[in-house]
Amino acid sequence: MTTLYQRANIFNGKEEALITDGWFVVDNTSGRITAMGSGKVPQADVVVDLKGKYVMPGLINAHTHMTMDPDALDSGLAVNEIEASVLALKNLHTCLKSGVTYIRECGATYDIDITMARLEREGKISQVPEIMPSGRAYSMTGGHGDMPNFSCLVDSPDEMRHAIRQGMKNGAQTIKLMATGGVMTEDDHMFQPQLSIEEMRVAVAEAHHKGRTVSAHAEGPQGIKNAIAAGVDGVEHCFYCDDEDIEKMIEQGTHVNPTVVADWIIATKGKATLPTFQVVKAANALDDLLANLKKAWDAGVKMGLGTDAGTPFNGFEMTPVELELMVELLDRTPYQALMTSYASAEFMRIDKDYGSLETGKYADFLVLKHNPLVDIKAVQEIDKAVYKKGVRQF
């Protein structure tokens, strides 16, 4: 069985020009696109007339925390495994409905993301994105990730080696390290380096042996330098990168996930409810992170799409808002912002199958009433249609 989607304006996720009067055919068994074009359409078993609406690839969010509760002051990390699983499933439904069809986890309590990824593959849970699980994050004792049930605590290269090997044995498909302090934890600061170069270098070596990517939470300057020196594939946040860091990231092909929304929303909306230390740290960093991320982007550093979903006020519906902030606060065009989703597919090494609408790739796509290349807020439409592998989810 095949389904033809016709009379659409298609942004294929790579080319800035729309395919007007576009069509594509999906094989209903594999969920892949078998043909694309414009104008005259081929035969198919089922025909769907999109009546001039706008089609774009499903979004890929490369930084989420499915077991965090954005409405809880403690991020919900102290709950038991059953409560955390229920919360994760709710967050995943919200994420898919917002237009995100694939996520990369960056730390989940109890390794719940590994279980959720397996259940999704087996078809035992529905209406959720595909998941690249990380399991627990890796932190030093007393570091940014030393929160209830959240991280593997390591304090030497040998401990790191064992922990990474165990994590991958458990099913982690990507690795998340904590290279600096951060906003959410009171006893540390983003300017404090945490995991050492040697510890992170071991993590990178072990992960790369199995072809898996490593990224580091690194907000302050020394931690960013340490993470780059250790050879990580991605730097999360990267608020205080300097010219030397930018040059090295370009040379090494290091990706950055800016997660602007995570800091912005705490700084702008957190005063009434969040601890003062969180609001102060976020507000003090905001102007600097915007200036530094602009400089890095303009220089050619690869920028991905990630939100740090699950942090305070930063719900799983916020990925389209991250795109808006890229346009409004980082002075990007809508096309540049949208291309970060494809960059995330490249970083996650899934771009042969996901990230753009092309013959042979999976038919993960959104249907919008308005053109996202003109108005980036179009991606925020509440009633947009969301498809995974050619099957409508919302």
Side-chain angles (χ1 to χ4, degrees), residues 306-333:
T307 62
D308 211 359
T311 54
F313 301 115
N314 185 14
F316 280 73
E317 75 284 358
M318 297 296 283
T319 311
V321 177
E322 176 78 5
L323 296 173
E324 178 188 355
L325 294 179
M326 289 177 176
V327 172
E328 293 191 353
L329 300 183
L330 295 178
D331 299 328
R332 304 301 108 175
T333 66

PDB file of all heavy atoms in Angstrom, residues 306-333:
ATOM      1  N   GLY A 306      18.321  22.008  20.403  1.00  0.00           N
ATOM      2  CA  GLY A 306      18.118  21.329  21.677  1.00  0.00           C
ATOM      3  C   GLY A 306      17.577  22.327  22.673  1.00  0.00           C
ATOM      4  O   GLY A 306      17.895  23.517  22.602  1.00  0.00           O
ATOM      5  N   THR A 307      16.749  21.873  23.606  1.00  0.00           N
ATOM      6  CA  THR A 307      16.101  22.818  24.514  1.00  0.00           C
ATOM      7  C   THR A 307      16.427  22.612  25.982  1.00  0.00           C
ATOM      8  O   THR A 307      16.103  23.457  26.800  1.00  0.00           O
ATOM      9  CB  THR A 307      14.567  22.742  24.365  1.00  0.00           C
ATOM     10  OG1 THR A 307      14.131  21.428  24.722  1.00  0.00           O
ATOM     11  CG2 THR A 307      14.144  23.088  22.948  1.00  0.00           C
ATOM     12  N   ASP A 308      17.044  21.484  26.349  1.00  0.00           N
ATOM     13  CA  ASP A 308      17.211  21.148  27.766  1.00  0.00           C
ATOM     14  C   ASP A 308      15.851  20.910  28.404  1.00  0.00           C
ATOM     15  O   ASP A 308      15.629  21.219  29.581  1.00  0.00           O
ATOM     16  CB  ASP A 308      17.962  22.262  28.505  1.00  0.00           C
ATOM     17  CG  ASP A 308      18.813  21.751  29.666  1.00  0.00           C
ATOM     18  OD1 ASP A 308      18.816  20.533  29.913  1.00  0.00           O
ATOM     19  OD2 ASP A 308      19.456  22.582  30.335  1.00  0.00           O
ATOM     20  N   ALA A 309      14.935  20.354  27.630  1.00  0.00           N
ATOM     21  CA  ALA A 309      13.551  20.173  28.075  1.00  0.00           C
ATOM     22  C   ALA A 309      13.480  19.444  29.405  1.00  0.00           C
ATOM     23  O   ALA A 309      14.148  18.435  29.615  1.00  0.00           O
ATOM     24  CB  ALA A 309      12.768  19.398  27.022  1.00  0.00           C
ATOM     25  N   GLY A 310      12.662  19.983  30.302  1.00  0.00           N
ATOM     26  CA  GLY A 310      12.488  19.429  31.628  1.00  0.00           C
ATOM     27  C   GLY A 310      13.026  20.327  32.721  1.00  0.00           C
ATOM     28  O   GLY A 310      12.669  20.171  33.893  1.00  0.00           O
ATOM     29  N   THR A 311      13.873  21.300  32.352  1.00  0.00           N
ATOM     30  CA  THR A 311      14.370  22.263  33.323  1.00  0.00           C
ATOM     31  C   THR A 311      13.259  23.269  33.635  1.00  0.00           C
ATOM     32  O   THR A 311      12.218  23.285  32.982  1.00  0.00           O
ATOM     33  CB  THR A 311      15.635  22.957  32.792  1.00  0.00           C
ATOM     34  OG1 THR A 311      15.359  23.527  31.501  1.00  0.00           O
ATOM     35  CG2 THR A 311      16.780  21.966  32.673  1.00  0.00           C
ATOM     36  N   PRO A 312      13.412  24.121  34.667  1.00  0.00           N
ATOM     37  CA  PRO A 312      12.296  24.943  35.136  1.00  0.00           C
ATOM     38  C   PRO A 312      11.595  25.752  34.039  1.00  0.00           C
ATOM     39  O   PRO A 312      12.245  26.444  33.250  1.00  0.00           O
ATOM     40  CB  PRO A 312      12.971  25.870  36.155  1.00  0.00           C
ATOM     41  CG  PRO A 312      14.077  25.039  36.715  1.00  0.00           C
ATOM     42  CD  PRO A 312      14.601  24.262  35.539  1.00  0.00           C
ATOM     43  N   PHE A 313      10.276  25.619  33.998  1.00  0.00           N
ATOM     44  CA  PHE A 313       9.383  26.287  33.040  1.00  0.00           C
ATOM     45  C   PHE A 313       9.608  25.859  31.593  1.00  0.00           C
ATOM     46  O   PHE A 313       8.927  26.337  30.688  1.00  0.00           O
ATOM     47  CB  PHE A 313       9.513  27.821  33.117  1.00  0.00           C
ATOM     48  CG  PHE A 313       9.196  28.402  34.452  1.00  0.00           C
ATOM     49  CD1 PHE A 313      10.171  29.033  35.200  1.00  0.00           C
ATOM     50  CD2 PHE A 313       7.921  28.313  34.981  1.00  0.00           C
ATOM     51  CE1 PHE A 313       9.886  29.568  36.440  1.00  0.00           C
ATOM     52  CE2 PHE A 313       7.626  28.846  36.220  1.00  0.00           C
ATOM     53  CZ  PHE A 313       8.599  29.479  36.955  1.00  0.00           C
ATOM     54  N   ASN A 314      10.560  24.978  31.378  1.00  0.00           N
ATOM     55  CA  ASN A 314      11.000  24.613  30.036  1.00  0.00           C
ATOM     56  C   ASN A 314      10.372  23.269  29.663  1.00  0.00           C
ATOM     57  O   ASN A 314      11.025  22.231  29.662  1.00  0.00           O
ATOM     58  CB  ASN A 314      12.540  24.553  30.007  1.00  0.00           C
ATOM     59  CG  ASN A 314      13.102  24.296  28.632  1.00  0.00           C
ATOM     60  OD1 ASN A 314      12.413  24.411  27.621  1.00  0.00           O
ATOM     61  ND2 ASN A 314      14.368  23.922  28.592  1.00  0.00           N
ATOM     62  N   GLY A 315       9.076  23.322  29.335  1.00  0.00           N
ATOM     63  CA  GLY A 315       8.326  22.104  29.060  1.00  0.00           C
ATOM     64  C   GLY A 315       8.666  21.493  27.719  1.00  0.00           C
ATOM     65  O   GLY A 315       9.411  22.054  26.903  1.00  0.00           O
ATOM     66  N   PHE A 316       8.071  20.342  27.467  1.00  0.00           N
ATOM     67  CA  PHE A 316       8.380  19.584  26.264  1.00  0.00           C
ATOM     68  C   PHE A 316       7.644  20.102  25.029  1.00  0.00           C
ATOM     69  O   PHE A 316       7.781  19.536  23.956  1.00  0.00           O
ATOM     70  CB  PHE A 316       8.103  18.101  26.511  1.00  0.00           C
ATOM     71  CG  PHE A 316       9.210  17.431  27.273  1.00  0.00           C
ATOM     72  CD1 PHE A 316       9.394  17.686  28.632  1.00  0.00           C
ATOM     73  CD2 PHE A 316      10.105  16.598  26.641  1.00  0.00           C
ATOM     74  CE1 PHE A 316      10.434  17.099  29.334  1.00  0.00           C
ATOM     75  CE2 PHE A 316      11.149  16.013  27.331  1.00  0.00           C
ATOM     76  CZ  PHE A 316      11.314  16.266  28.685  1.00  0.00           C
ATOM     77  N   GLU A 317       6.926  21.200  25.175  1.00  0.00           N
ATOM     78  CA  GLU A 317       6.303  21.869  24.039  1.00  0.00           C
ATOM     79  C   GLU A 317       7.140  23.033  23.527  1.00  0.00           C
ATOM     80  O   GLU A 317       6.743  23.726  22.581  1.00  0.00           O
ATOM     81  CB  GLU A 317       4.911  22.389  24.440  1.00  0.00           C
ATOM     82  CG  GLU A 317       4.905  23.626  25.328  1.00  0.00           C
ATOM     83  CD  GLU A 317       5.263  23.372  26.794  1.00  0.00           C
ATOM     84  OE1 GLU A 317       5.491  22.199  27.169  1.00  0.00           O
ATOM     85  OE2 GLU A 317       5.328  24.355  27.564  1.00  0.00           O
ATOM     86  N   MET A 318       8.324  23.260  24.095  1.00  0.00           N
ATOM     87  CA  MET A 318       9.060  24.493  23.856  1.00  0.00           C
ATOM     88  C   MET A 318      10.034  24.455  22.679  1.00  0.00           C
ATOM     89  O   MET A 318      10.669  25.462  22.385  1.00  0.00           O
ATOM     90  CB  MET A 318       9.833  24.877  25.121  1.00  0.00           C
ATOM     91  CG  MET A 318       8.951  25.184  26.317  1.00  0.00           C
ATOM     92  SD  MET A 318       7.890  26.626  26.062  1.00  0.00           S
ATOM     93  CE  MET A 318       9.090  27.931  26.301  1.00  0.00           C
ATOM     94  N   THR A 319      10.171  23.346  21.988  1.00  0.00           N
ATOM     95  CA  THR A 319      11.126  23.301  20.878  1.00  0.00           C
ATOM     96  C   THR A 319      10.826  24.365  19.818  1.00  0.00           C
ATOM     97  O   THR A 319      11.757  25.053  19.358  1.00  0.00           O
ATOM     98  CB  THR A 319      11.162  21.905  20.247  1.00  0.00           C
ATOM     99  OG1 THR A 319      11.309  20.930  21.276  1.00  0.00           O
ATOM    100  CG2 THR A 319      12.327  21.782  19.270  1.00  0.00           C
ATOM    101  N   PRO A 320       9.562  24.549  19.397  1.00  0.00           N
ATOM    102  CA  PRO A 320       9.300  25.630  18.438  1.00  0.00           C
ATOM    103  C   PRO A 320       9.639  27.015  18.985  1.00  0.00           C
ATOM    104  O   PRO A 320       9.977  27.922  18.214  1.00  0.00           O
ATOM    105  CB  PRO A 320       7.797  25.491  18.157  1.00  0.00           C
ATOM    106  CG  PRO A 320       7.486  24.056  18.437  1.00  0.00           C
ATOM    107  CD  PRO A 320       8.354  23.717  19.608  1.00  0.00           C
ATOM    108  N   VAL A 321       9.565  27.192  20.304  1.00  0.00           N
ATOM    109  CA  VAL A 321       9.932  28.481  20.897  1.00  0.00           C
ATOM    110  C   VAL A 321      11.442  28.699  20.802  1.00  0.00           C
ATOM    111  O   VAL A 321      11.911  29.825  20.587  1.00  0.00           O
ATOM    112  CB  VAL A 321       9.451  28.559  22.354  1.00  0.00           C
ATOM    113  CG1 VAL A 321       9.895  29.874  23.012  1.00  0.00           C
ATOM    114  CG2 VAL A 321       7.932  28.431  22.424  1.00  0.00           C
ATOM    115  N   GLU A 322      12.230  27.630  20.949  1.00  0.00           N
ATOM    116  CA  GLU A 322      13.675  27.745  20.756  1.00  0.00           C
ATOM    117  C   GLU A 322      13.976  28.287  19.358  1.00  0.00           C
ATOM    118  O   GLU A 322      14.859  29.149  19.191  1.00  0.00           O
ATOM    119  CB  GLU A 322      14.345  26.377  20.948  1.00  0.00           C
ATOM    120  CG  GLU A 322      15.836  26.357  20.674  1.00  0.00           C
ATOM    121  CD  GLU A 322      16.699  26.919  21.788  1.00  0.00           C
ATOM    122  OE1 GLU A 322      16.157  27.254  22.867  1.00  0.00           O
ATOM    123  OE2 GLU A 322      17.924  27.028  21.589  1.00  0.00           O
ATOM    124  N   LEU A 323      13.247  27.821  18.348  1.00  0.00           N
ATOM    125  CA  LEU A 323      13.443  28.328  16.993  1.00  0.00           C
ATOM    126  C   LEU A 323      13.125  29.824  16.915  1.00  0.00           C
ATOM    127  O   LEU A 323      13.841  30.597  16.275  1.00  0.00           O
ATOM    128  CB  LEU A 323      12.560  27.556  16.016  1.00  0.00           C
ATOM    129  CG  LEU A 323      12.871  26.064  15.854  1.00  0.00           C
ATOM    130  CD1 LEU A 323      11.805  25.397  14.988  1.00  0.00           C
ATOM    131  CD2 LEU A 323      14.250  25.846  15.249  1.00  0.00           C
ATOM    132  N   GLU A 324      12.052  30.222  17.577  1.00  0.00           N
ATOM    133  CA  GLU A 324      11.682  31.638  17.602  1.00  0.00           C
ATOM    134  C   GLU A 324      12.777  32.477  18.259  1.00  0.00           C
ATOM    135  O   GLU A 324      13.126  33.573  17.773  1.00  0.00           O
ATOM    136  CB  GLU A 324      10.364  31.823  18.352  1.00  0.00           C
ATOM    137  CG  GLU A 324       9.917  33.269  18.462  1.00  0.00           C
ATOM    138  CD  GLU A 324       8.718  33.453  19.368  1.00  0.00           C
ATOM    139  OE1 GLU A 324       8.159  32.447  19.856  1.00  0.00           O
ATOM    140  OE2 GLU A 324       8.331  34.620  19.605  1.00  0.00           O
ATOM    141  N   LEU A 325      13.345  31.987  19.360  1.00  0.00           N
ATOM    142  CA  LEU A 325      14.397  32.732  20.050  1.00  0.00           C
ATOM    143  C   LEU A 325      15.658  32.837  19.202  1.00  0.00           C
ATOM    144  O   LEU A 325      16.377  33.837  19.275  1.00  0.00           O
ATOM    145  CB  LEU A 325      14.713  32.069  21.388  1.00  0.00           C
ATOM    146  CG  LEU A 325      13.595  32.092  22.436  1.00  0.00           C
ATOM    147  CD1 LEU A 325      14.040  31.374  23.698  1.00  0.00           C
ATOM    148  CD2 LEU A 325      13.149  33.514  22.751  1.00  0.00           C
ATOM    149  N   MET A 326      15.938  31.809  18.400  1.00  0.00           N
ATOM    150  CA  MET A 326      17.077  31.903  17.486  1.00  0.00           C
ATOM    151  C   MET A 326      16.901  33.062  16.512  1.00  0.00           C
ATOM    152  O   MET A 326      17.858  33.766  16.182  1.00  0.00           O
ATOM    153  CB  MET A 326      17.246  30.597  16.717  1.00  0.00           C
ATOM    154  CG  MET A 326      17.753  29.442  17.543  1.00  0.00           C
ATOM    155  SD  MET A 326      17.837  27.933  16.558  1.00  0.00           S
ATOM    156  CE  MET A 326      18.557  26.793  17.745  1.00  0.00           C
ATOM    157  N   VAL A 327      15.669  33.263  16.067  1.00  0.00           N
ATOM    158  CA  VAL A 327      15.380  34.348  15.140  1.00  0.00           C
ATOM    159  C   VAL A 327      15.420  35.693  15.858  1.00  0.00           C
ATOM    160  O   VAL A 327      16.048  36.655  15.397  1.00  0.00           O
ATOM    161  CB  VAL A 327      14.019  34.130  14.452  1.00  0.00           C
ATOM    162  CG1 VAL A 327      13.613  35.350  13.634  1.00  0.00           C
ATOM    163  CG2 VAL A 327      14.071  32.883  13.567  1.00  0.00           C
ATOM    164  N   GLU A 328      14.764  35.761  17.012  1.00  0.00           N
ATOM    165  CA  GLU A 328      14.593  37.049  17.686  1.00  0.00           C
ATOM    166  C   GLU A 328      15.818  37.487  18.491  1.00  0.00           C
ATOM    167  O   GLU A 328      16.137  38.676  18.541  1.00  0.00           O
ATOM    168  CB  GLU A 328      13.366  36.995  18.603  1.00  0.00           C
ATOM    169  CG  GLU A 328      12.049  36.854  17.850  1.00  0.00           C
ATOM    170  CD  GLU A 328      10.845  37.068  18.739  1.00  0.00           C
ATOM    171  OE1 GLU A 328      11.022  37.189  19.972  1.00  0.00           O
ATOM    172  OE2 GLU A 328       9.722  37.113  18.203  1.00  0.00           O
ATOM    173  N   LEU A 329      16.497  36.539  19.142  1.00  0.00           N
ATOM    174  CA  LEU A 329      17.603  36.905  20.033  1.00  0.00           C
ATOM    175  C   LEU A 329      18.974  36.654  19.427  1.00  0.00           C
ATOM    176  O   LEU A 329      19.949  37.295  19.834  1.00  0.00           O
ATOM    177  CB  LEU A 329      17.483  36.134  21.354  1.00  0.00           C
ATOM    178  CG  LEU A 329      16.207  36.357  22.162  1.00  0.00           C
ATOM    179  CD1 LEU A 329      16.275  35.584  23.476  1.00  0.00           C
ATOM    180  CD2 LEU A 329      15.950  37.835  22.418  1.00  0.00           C
ATOM    181  N   LEU A 330      19.071  35.714  18.476  1.00  0.00           N
ATOM    182  CA  LEU A 330      20.358  35.426  17.852  1.00  0.00           C
ATOM    183  C   LEU A 330      20.442  35.957  16.422  1.00  0.00           C
ATOM    184  O   LEU A 330      21.411  35.672  15.712  1.00  0.00           O
ATOM    185  CB  LEU A 330      20.623  33.918  17.868  1.00  0.00           C
ATOM    186  CG  LEU A 330      20.798  33.293  19.259  1.00  0.00           C
ATOM    187  CD1 LEU A 330      21.015  31.785  19.146  1.00  0.00           C
ATOM    188  CD2 LEU A 330      21.958  33.927  20.012  1.00  0.00           C
ATOM    189  N   ASP A 331      19.413  36.691  15.990  1.00  0.00           N
ATOM    190  CA  ASP A 331      19.417  37.363  14.687  1.00  0.00           C
ATOM    191  C   ASP A 331      19.590  36.397  13.520  1.00  0.00           C
ATOM    192  O   ASP A 331      20.271  36.706  12.538  1.00  0.00           O
ATOM    193  CB  ASP A 331      20.518  38.432  14.629  1.00  0.00           C
ATOM    194  CG  ASP A 331      20.321  39.519  15.662  1.00  0.00           C
ATOM    195  OD1 ASP A 331      19.157  39.822  15.980  1.00  0.00           O
ATOM    196  OD2 ASP A 331      21.320  40.059  16.163  1.00  0.00           O
ATOM    197  N   ARG A 332      18.976  35.222  13.619  1.00  0.00           N
ATOM    198  CA  ARG A 332      19.003  34.264  12.513  1.00  0.00           C
ATOM    199  C   ARG A 332      17.766  34.450  11.636  1.00  0.00           C
ATOM    200  O   ARG A 332      16.737  34.972  12.066  1.00  0.00           O
ATOM    201  CB  ARG A 332      19.016  32.821  13.018  1.00  0.00           C
ATOM    202  CG  ARG A 332      20.126  32.452  13.959  1.00  0.00           C
ATOM    203  CD  ARG A 332      21.498  32.669  13.328  1.00  0.00           C
ATOM    204  NE  ARG A 332      22.175  33.814  13.922  1.00  0.00           N
ATOM    205  CZ  ARG A 332      23.408  34.165  13.629  1.00  0.00           C
ATOM    206  NH1 ARG A 332      24.120  33.476  12.761  1.00  0.00           N
ATOM    207  NH2 ARG A 332      23.953  35.223  14.202  1.00  0.00           N
ATOM    208  N   THR A 333      17.840  33.981  10.406  1.00  0.00           N
ATOM    209  CA  THR A 333      16.661  33.910   9.556  1.00  0.00           C
ATOM    210  C   THR A 333      15.870  32.660   9.945  1.00  0.00           C
ATOM    211  O   THR A 333      16.416  31.718  10.544  1.00  0.00           O
ATOM    212  CB  THR A 333      17.044  33.811   8.076  1.00  0.00           C
ATOM    213  OG1 THR A 333      17.707  32.554   7.852  1.00  0.00           O
ATOM    214  CG2 THR A 333      17.964  34.959   7.669  1.00  0.00           C
TER     215      THR A 333
END
